[in-house]
C-alpha cells in the first residue's frame, strides 16, 4: 500500500461537509489524506494544494473555477499554486526509503551474524574429567581367533546418555551410506547401543557425484561427517573395515590399519547387525581396468578432476604432437547408465563453457567425448522417450553415443570394443583415449562374498539374499539384516504376477484361463507391472516386439497362457531391486522403524517370556519398495521419469532437478554449500586447477 | 525517519492559532502531523484524538481539563475518547512494512540472480576455426642440447590481441607465486609476449595456508587459477618445470612429464626472463625429515588435514593402547616462526572447539601440542611484546613452547631434540609424537642452485643475488631478473649505515668521530635501523645487552667507533630481505612498472640507436623495500607489528587480521569464498572428515 486514498466512508462524509472557513489559520492544515512527507516538503506562507488521486500536473493545468468544482477540501489561499513534487519524486522517495530500510535490515543481519560468530569461539579449555572403563582400555581376548573383544568402548561413559545406553541391545551398522544414515535418522536413540563401522568417516550424497568431477560442485558439499549423524543418534563410530562375521557367536571381525601400517583385528559383539556395505564396480571380466577411473567415492571424483585437468595441461605443451593432443582430449565413458550419462554431460558442460576462458582455443576444437553402451540405448532403465531425448541432446552437443558396443579391453592409450552393426555383424573397433570412466554396474564386495560362502542358502552371485523382512537368509533369525546395494530381496514376482493376472480377469468378469488380451490392454498391463517392479522396465521397453514374439498363434491377442509365459520370462530376468540411493534409503527407513517397534515390544515379550518365533513378522509389516521415479542431468537439460509420468526439458528442468536433490540433501550444511556452489559457478565458472 | 513531527516553523505558527471552531464538520480532520496510516485506523463517527509527541496512553490517562491545556488542535467532540492504536501497534505496523519491503527486495535479488544464472549456461557449441602456425605444431630443434624450440605457441593466433603480441619482446616469467602475479597485474598487456611457466596451475594465497590445514578455510578458497590471471594480462601459460637456463643463447630449458610418464624437455626462447620460483623447505641437515609434514603448498595442507584426522580416528580404536593414543595425539611443530605458530594455533582451535562435538571425550583430554623453537622466543622477528603475548596465549591454551631447542632427529614415532637449560647446559630430550610439522625457514631450489653454479659471482648459498635493479648478478645485463624468496638484493647496508650515522651526527651538529650516544639515543637509532632494514629486527632485540657488550669503556655511552662496529656486526648477519609474500609482491610490482617503462622507452632508444648501457637505471629508480608490518594469528587472538606500532588482542584483532588478508586477497572469487568459509565455520564448525 504505497499510496492510499481516504476510506470510502470518510470520503462520502467529506463530500457533504460545508466549505472550510476562510481563516488563514487553516491554510497550513494539510488535507488529512495528503502523504506524510508533504508536511516537510511544504513551506509556511504558501498554501498547500489539494490532494488528488489524478496526477498533480493535471489539476495544475486546470485551475479551479468554482468552489463547487472541489470535491474535497479547497485551497484557502489565493497565492499562486506552488510546483508540486511529481509522482516520480514520490516514487523515488519511497524507493529510497525502502532501499534504505533494506540496507539497514541487511546491515543489522550482518551485525547479528558477526555477534553470533563471535559467540562461537571457545576461550575456555574443553577439558572435563571423564570415567573410562578399564575394559575399554584393555579389552579381553576371545572368540574363535582369540582377538580382543571390544565389549566396552572408550566413550561409553562420556555423558549420562551414553552411560544409560551401555546395557541396551548392541546394534552394529556396517557402512555409512544411504541405508545406514536412514536407519540412524529413523532410530529412536534411547533403544539401542548403536555402533557404526565404516572405512570412511563421511556420508556421500552419491546422486550428485558426477557434478563434483568437473567442479560444478565442490567435494566437501557432497559429504557430511558421519560422526555428526551418528552422535545425533547417540551412537558410536569406528573408522575401520569389517572383514568377517562369526554368525553363531554374534561377533563382527573388524580390521584397522594402525600408525605402523599393520592391520589390527578385533571383535565387535552385536545383538543385531545391519549390513549396508554397498557394492563395488563390476569389472565384467574386462582386461586393463587399471587404466580406467571409477566413480563410486569422493576420492574418485577428486582423481577424475585432477586427471582431466592434467590432460588439458599436457595438451597445451609445445612438445605434444597433434595426434597425441587429440588422444589426450578424447574422453571415453564406458556405461550408458545415469552415472555415465551425467558424467559425460557434466564433462561436456565444463569443456564447452569454461575451457575457452583460459585455455588455447585449439583444445576446444580437438575435444571429443564418447559414451560406450552395451544396450541399444543410453539410460535404458528410463522411459524410451527419455532415452531418445538424451540421445538427441548428446547428438546436438556432439557427444558420440556408441550403442550395442561391448568393451573388450582397455589399454593405456586406447580402448577396444566390439560393435554390432545394422546387419547384426560384430566388428571390433578401437578408440584412442586419454581418459576412460568405467561405470557399468555393481558387484559384490569381499565381505559379502565371504558371508555368502559361509551360508549354504546364499547362492546369488550378485548380492546377499534377504527375506521380505530384510533378514539375511540363512543367518540366525533376527540377528543379521542386509540393506542397500549389497542385498537383494527375494522377489516373489511370479506369485505376484499370477495374482495380478487373476485380479485383472476378475475386473473384467472373465474366466482367467479364457481371457484374450489385445495390444492396448497389454500396454496397460506392462505399465502396471513397471510400476510395481521398476526393475522390470528395461525388459518391457519394446512392447510391440514382445507382443509379436509371444503371440504364437498370430491372432493379434495374447491368451492367458501366452501372457503368463511372457511375464514369467521377465521374472526370471529380475535379479534385484535397482541399485539406487532411493532403494537403500527406503530400506534403511523401514529397518529403523522396525527396530523401534522391536525395542518397544521387548519389555512385553520379556514379561511373557516370548523369545522365539518370528518377532519381526509379529511387530511390523514386510518391506515393500515404492519406486518414486528416476531423474538424470543431461547437459543443461534434465529428464524425469516419475512412475510413467515422464518429461524432459531445458534449464527449468535443470532447476527442478537441482531442487529435488537440494530437498533430499542430508543436512542444512550440505544444502547451504550446494547453494553456494551453484552461485559460485554462475559468478565465476568452474575453477580449472588441479592439485 | 520513522516518526517525524512538524517542522519547527509550522509548530510555532500553530501555537498561536485560535482554537478550532466547535463544528462537528472538523471532527474527522486529522491534525496535519498525525501519521498517515491513522486515516485508515480511525473510524467515522468517532473523533480523532489529538496528536502528541508524548505516548498516547499518557494523554488518555489525564483527560483534558481546560482548553488552554492544549497546545495544538483540540478534540471537538464530546464522545468518550476511543481506544487508540498504541505506539506498539504503529511500531509493529512499520516493522512489518519494512520487513515486507526487505523480503520483497531480497526476493527480487534472488530472482535477478536466477535470471543471471540462467544466462551463464552456454547452449551453442563454442567452436570457432582458428589458425595455428605449423611451427607451433612441429617446433624446430636447436640450442646446445638440440631440443625443440617453442618459438611459436599454439595459442599465438587465437585472437587478434594474441596475434598483435606475437612479435613483441618475449617475457618469460617462472613461477606463479606472489611476485609473478604482481608482475602480471602491473604489466601493460600490450607491450610483451608474456609466457608464464610454473609446475602448478594456481596462485596460492600463502599467508592463510595454516587455516586450510584444519578446515577453517577450504583449500579452493586460497587458490586462484593462474590461467585466469595470465589471460587477463593477455599472456600464455605452460604447466611445466624450468630445469635450466642457457644464459648466452637466451633459452630456457623446460621439462614436462608426458602422459606416458616420460620427461619431455624443450627450449623456450626469451628476451627477458624473470625468476620467481620461490624456495624449498630448509632441512637444516636434520635426519628423518621424511617423517615430517611441510607447509609450502596447497597439497601439503590437504595431506596435513588428512593426517590429523587419521590420527584422531586411530586414537578411537579399541585396539589402541593408552600410551599409543597419547602418542597419536601429540602434535609437534618444529619452528616458531609465523607459519609454525599459526599452524599450532589453528590446530589447537580445531581440537578445542570441534573435536568434542563428535569424538570421544578421552581424546580431548589426551591431546598435546608442542612448538619447538631454536631461539629464545617464538615469533622472534616480531616485537618482543608480541612474542611475550603469543607465549602467554599458548601458555593459557596449554600449547607447550620449547625454546632454545634444536631438533636433532625425527623418527617415525618420536622427535629427538637438544635443549639448553637455565645453566646453559645442553640436554637431549625426546618427545613421542604422532604428527610433526617442519617449518624452519627456506632453502634454494634445484634450478637456483644450477643457475648459481653457472655464474661465478653467485656465491650466496641461500639465494640468487641481484643488484638493486633486481637483475641477476653475472647474467647478461637486463636479460634475467630474480624476485621473491629465490633471490636476495645485495644489501649495501654497511654503506647505508655509515651514511646514516653521519647524517645523525650532522643533525646534532656534531663531529661524527667525536659523537657519544646515550642509551635512549641508541634505542632511537635501533628503531630507525629496524625500520629501514626489517630483517635486522631479530638482531636488535636485546638492546640493553648489545649496548653493554659494545660499550667497551663502560662509560654509559657508545662512541662513534663502537656504534659503527656494532652496526657492521649486524650487517654481516643480514643475508636477505625477509622471505615473505610482502617482499615478493613489492618486487613484482616494481618489476612490472619497470618493464612498462622499458617498453615505453624502447621506440625512442631504437630511433637513437641506444642499445647499450644501463637501460634499467636510465628508465626507473632502484628497488627499495618498504616494510609494511607483520601480523600473525594466535588462537582466537592476533598480533600486529606495523613498523614499531605493535598491538595484540582477542576477537577484534582476529577480525582485523582477517580484514587485512581479505583485502589483500587476489580476486573477488577468493574474497567471496573466504567470507563463505568463515560463515560456514561459524554455522557448522569445521567438518571432521578425511579422504
Amino acid at each position: 500500500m504505497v499510496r492510499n486514498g481516504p476510506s470510502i466512508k470518510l470520503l462520502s462524509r467529506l463530500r457533504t461537509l460545508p466549505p472550510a472557513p476562510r481563516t488563514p489559520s487553516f491554510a497550513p492544515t494539510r488535507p488529512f489524506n495528503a502523504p506524510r512527507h508533504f508536511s516537510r516538503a511544504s513551506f509556511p506562507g504558501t498554501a498547500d494544494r489539494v490532494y488528488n488521486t489524478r496526477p498533480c500536473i493535471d489539476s495544475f493545468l486546470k485551475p479551479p473555477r468554482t468552489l463547487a468544482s472541489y470535491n474535497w477540501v479547497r485551497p484557502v489561499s489565493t497565492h499562486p499554486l506552488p510546483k508540486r513534487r511529481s509522482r516520480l519524486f514520490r516514487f523515488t522517495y519511497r524507493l529510497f526509503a525502502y532501499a534504505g530500510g533494506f540496507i539497514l535490515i541487511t546491515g543489522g543481519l550482518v551485525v547479528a551474524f558477526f555477534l553470533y560468530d563471535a559467540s562461537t569461539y571457545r576461550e575456555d579449555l574443553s577439558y572435563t574429567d571423564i570415567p573410562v572403563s578399564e575394559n575399554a582400555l584393555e579389552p579381553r581376548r576371545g572368540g574363535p581367533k582369540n582377538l580382543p573383544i571390544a565389549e566396552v568402548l572408550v566413550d561409553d561413559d562420556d555423558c549420562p546418555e551414553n552411560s544409560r545406553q551401555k546395557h541396551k541391545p548392541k546394534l552394529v551398522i556396517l557402512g555409512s551410506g544411504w541405508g545406514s544414515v536412514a536407519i540412524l535418522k529413523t532410530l529412536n536413540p534411547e533403544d539401542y547401543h548403536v555402533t557404526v563401522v565404516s572405512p570412511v568417516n563421511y556420508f556421500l550424497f552419491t546422486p550428485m557425484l558426477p557434478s563434483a568431477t568437473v567442479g560444478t560442485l565442490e567435494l566437501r558439499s557432497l559429504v557430511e561427517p558421519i560422526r555428526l549423524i551418528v552422535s545425533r543418534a547417540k551412537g558410536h563410530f569406528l573408522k575401520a573395515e569389517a572383514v568377517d562375521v562369526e554368525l553363531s557367536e554374534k561377533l563382527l571381525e573388524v580390521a584397522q590399519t594402525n600408525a605402523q601400517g599393520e592391520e589390527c583385528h578385533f571383535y565387535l559383539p552385536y545383538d543385531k547387525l545391519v549390513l549396508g556395505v554397498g557394492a563395488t564396480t563390476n569389472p565384467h571380466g574386462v582386461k586393463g581396468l587399471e587404466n580406467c577411473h571409477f566413480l563410486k567415492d569422493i576420492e574418485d571424483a577428486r582423481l577424475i578432476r585432477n586427471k582431466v585437468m592434467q590432460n588439458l595441461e599436457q595438451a597445451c605443451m609445445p612438445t605434444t604432437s597433434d595426434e597425441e593432443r587429440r588422444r589426450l582430449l578424447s574422453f571415453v565413458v564406458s556405461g550408458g547408465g545415469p552415472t555415465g550419462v551425467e558424467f559425460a554431460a557434466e564433462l561436456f558442460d565444463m569443456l564447452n563453457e569454461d575451457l575457452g576462458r583460459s585455455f588455447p582455443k585449439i583444445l576446444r576444437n580437438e575435444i571429443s567425448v564418447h559414451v560406450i553402451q552395451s544396450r541399444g540405448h543410453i539410460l535404458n532403465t528410463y522411459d524410451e522417450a527419455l532415452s531418445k531425448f538424451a540421445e538427441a541432446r548428446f547428438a546436438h552437443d556432439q557427444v558420440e553415443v556408441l550403442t550395442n558396443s561391448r568393451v573388450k579391453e582397455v589399454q593405456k592409450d586406447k580402448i577396444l570394443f566390439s560393435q554390432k552393426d545394422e546387419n547384426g555383424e560384430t566388428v571390433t573397433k578401437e578408440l584412442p583415449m586419454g581418459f576412460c570412466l568405467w561405470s557399468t554396474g555393481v558387484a559384490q564386495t569381499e565381505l559379502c562374498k565371504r558371508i555368502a560362502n559361509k551360508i549354504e542358502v546364499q547362492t546369488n552371485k550378485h548380492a546377499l539374499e534377504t527375506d521380505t523382512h530384510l533378514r539375511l537368509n540363512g543367518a540366525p533369525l533376527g540377528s543379521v539384516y542386509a540393506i542397500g546395494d549389497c542385498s537383494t530381496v527375494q522377489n516373489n514376482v511370479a506369485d505376484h504376477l499370477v495374482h495380478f493376472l487373476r485380479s485383472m480377469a476378475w475386473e473384467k468378469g472373465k474366466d482367467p484361463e479364457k481371457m484374450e488380451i489385445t495390444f492396448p490392454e497389454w500396454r496397460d498391463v506392462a505399465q502396471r507391472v513397471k510400476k510395481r517392479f521398476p526393475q522390470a522396465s528395461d525388459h518391457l521397453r519394446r512392447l510391440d516386439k514382445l507382443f509379436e514374439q509371444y503371440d504364437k498363434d498370430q491372432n493379434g491377442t495374447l491368451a492367458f497362457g501366452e501372457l503368463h509365459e511372457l511375464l514369467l520370462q521377465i521374472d526370471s530376468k529380475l535379479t534385484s531391486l535397482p541399485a539406487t540411493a532411493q532403494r537403500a534409503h527406503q530400506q534403511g527407513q523401514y529397518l529403523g522403524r522396525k527396530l523401534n517397534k522391536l525395542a518397544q515390544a521387548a519389555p512385553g515379550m520379556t514379561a511373557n517370556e516370548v523369545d522365539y518365533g518370528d518377532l519381526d513378522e509379529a511387530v511390523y509389516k514386510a518391506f515393500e519398495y515404492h519406486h518414486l521415479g528416476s531423474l538424470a542431468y543431461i547437459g543443461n537439460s534434465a529428464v524425469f521419469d516419475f512412475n510413467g509420468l515422464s518429461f524432459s526439458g531445458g534449464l527449468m528442468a535443470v532447476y527442478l532437478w537441482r531442487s529435488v536433490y537440494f530437498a533430499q540433501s542430508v543436512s542444512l550444511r550440505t544444502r547451504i554449500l550446494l547453494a553456494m556452489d551453484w552461485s559460485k559457478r554462475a559468478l565465476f565458472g568452474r575453477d580449472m586447477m588441479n592439485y
Side-chain angles (χ1 to χ4, degrees), chain A residues 395-408:
Chain A
H396 164 265
D397 287 350
Q398 304 188 4
V399 171
E400 191 186 18
V401 177
L402 300 156
T403 50
N404 296 315
S405 305
R406 283 197 172 274
V407 174
K408 297 184 117 182

Side-chain angles (χ1 to χ4, degrees), chain A residues 202-236:
Chain A
Y202 50 82
F203 161 74
L204 171 63
F205 192 80
T206 42
M208 296 199 112
L209 196 52
S211 298
T213 55
V214 296
T216 310
L217 298 176
E218 290 303 333
L219 303 179
R220 297 228 163 224
S221 313
L222 294 181
V223 285
E224 175 77 3
I226 188 74
R227 279 187 176 274
L228 284 188
I229 302 172
V230 171
S231 62
R232 264 179 234 131
K234 308 265 179 290
H236 310 267

Side-chain angles (χ1 to χ4, degrees), chain A residues 120-174:
Chain A
T120 62
Y121 300 91
R122 189 194 278 257
E123 271 298 295
D124 54 315
L125 300 180
S126 52
Y127 298 125
T128 43
D129 274 346
I130 54 146
V132 177
S133 154
E134 196 57 43
N135 206 343
L137 297 175
E138 299 274 346
R140 74 169 180 87
R141 286 179 167 262
K145 295 187 189 168
N146 196 33
L147 297 173
I149 303 178
E151 286 165 322
V152 190
L153 300 176
V154 286
D155 48 352
D156 266 350
D157 291 295
D158 259 14
C159 54
E161 287 101 347
N162 284 1
S163 300
R164 273 202 300 279
Q165 286 175 341
K166 233 163 77 175
H167 305 294
K168 293 279 161 85
K170 287 185 194 298
L171 171 65
V172 175
I173 302 173
L174 298 189

Side-chain angles (χ1 to χ4, degrees), chain A residues 28-98:
Chain A
T29 305
R30 193 163 47 103
F32 78 100
N33 59 344
R36 228 181 119 37
H37 54 267
F38 264 39
S39 61
R40 284 185 288 137
S42 50
F43 301 98
T46 62
D48 254 322
R49 281 273 316 292
V50 290
Y51 188 78
N52 199 311
T53 48
R54 283 176 298 165
C56 299
I57 194 70
D58 197 332
S59 46
F60 185 72
L61 290 173
K62 298 183 205 159
R65 293 195 181 181
T66 61
L67 284 177
S69 71
Y70 282 100
N71 281 340
W72 303 2
V73 185
R74 304 166 292 110
V76 286
S77 161
T78 51
H79 288 292
L81 293 167
K83 201 163 181 176
R84 279 281 300 278
R85 302 307 192 217
S86 68
R87 184 180 271 203
L88 182 72
F89 172 82
R90 280 173 290 146
F91 176 74
T92 314
Y93 177 82
R94 286 197 192 106
L95 201 70
F96 273 92
Y98 274 95

Side-chain angles (χ1 to χ4, degrees), chain A residues 325-490:
Chain A
R325 179 159 34 238
R326 280 177 203 277
R327 184 189 74 77
L328 285 169
L329 299 176
S330 161
F331 298 91
V332 176
V333 177
S334 180
T339 308
V341 164
E342 288 192 347
F343 171 74
E346 289 278 359
L347 181 69
F348 174 80
D349 282 355
M350 189 262 271
L351 298 174
N352 195 46
E353 287 170 5
D354 299 283
L355 191 73
R357 288 194 304 157
S358 51
F359 278 82
K361 291 208 171 65
I362 188 173
L363 264 61
R364 179 66 195 85
N365 291 15
E366 300 198 340
I367 274 168
S368 59
V369 181
H370 316 267
V371 178
I372 299 182
Q373 164 72 323
S374 56
R375 309 290 173 93
H377 292 279
I378 56 172
L379 292 182
N380 60 305
T381 56
Y382 287 58
D383 190 272
E384 201 170 348
L386 298 182
S387 292
K388 289 263 167 71
F389 176 87
E391 282 165 7
R393 180 80 216 178
F394 276 178
H396 164 265
D397 287 350
Q398 304 188 4
V399 171
E400 191 186 18
V401 177
L402 300 156
T403 50
N404 296 315
S405 305
R406 283 197 172 274
V407 174
K408 297 184 117 182
E409 191 185 340
V410 184
Q411 294 180 358
K412 239 188 156 119
D413 52 0
K414 63 180 174 234
I415 190 163
L416 306 175
F417 64 98
S418 61
Q419 191 173 28
K420 263 190 209 154
D421 60 12
E422 300 92 70
N423 312 326
E425 280 172 42
T426 307
V427 261
T428 301
K429 297 182 176 178
E430 65 174 57
L431 187 64
M433 61 92 190
F435 171 89
C436 178
L437 176 76
W438 189 259
S439 67
T440 56
V442 296
Q444 247 182 340
T445 61
E446 282 303 310
L447 174 68
C448 291
K449 281 184 198 162
R450 205 165 294 143
I451 293 173
N453 284 340
K454 284 192 170 189
I455 302 172
E456 216 169 295
V457 296
Q458 293 284 347
T459 51
N460 192 324
K461 287 264 171 250
H462 300 290
L464 294 173
E465 280 187 341
T466 68
D467 62 10
T468 51
H469 282 270
L470 306 186
R471 292 172 297 195
L472 188 68
N473 285 344
L477 201 67
S479 68
V480 184
Y481 298 81
I483 56 173
D485 291 3
C486 72
S487 72
T488 179
V489 180
Q490 262 193 334

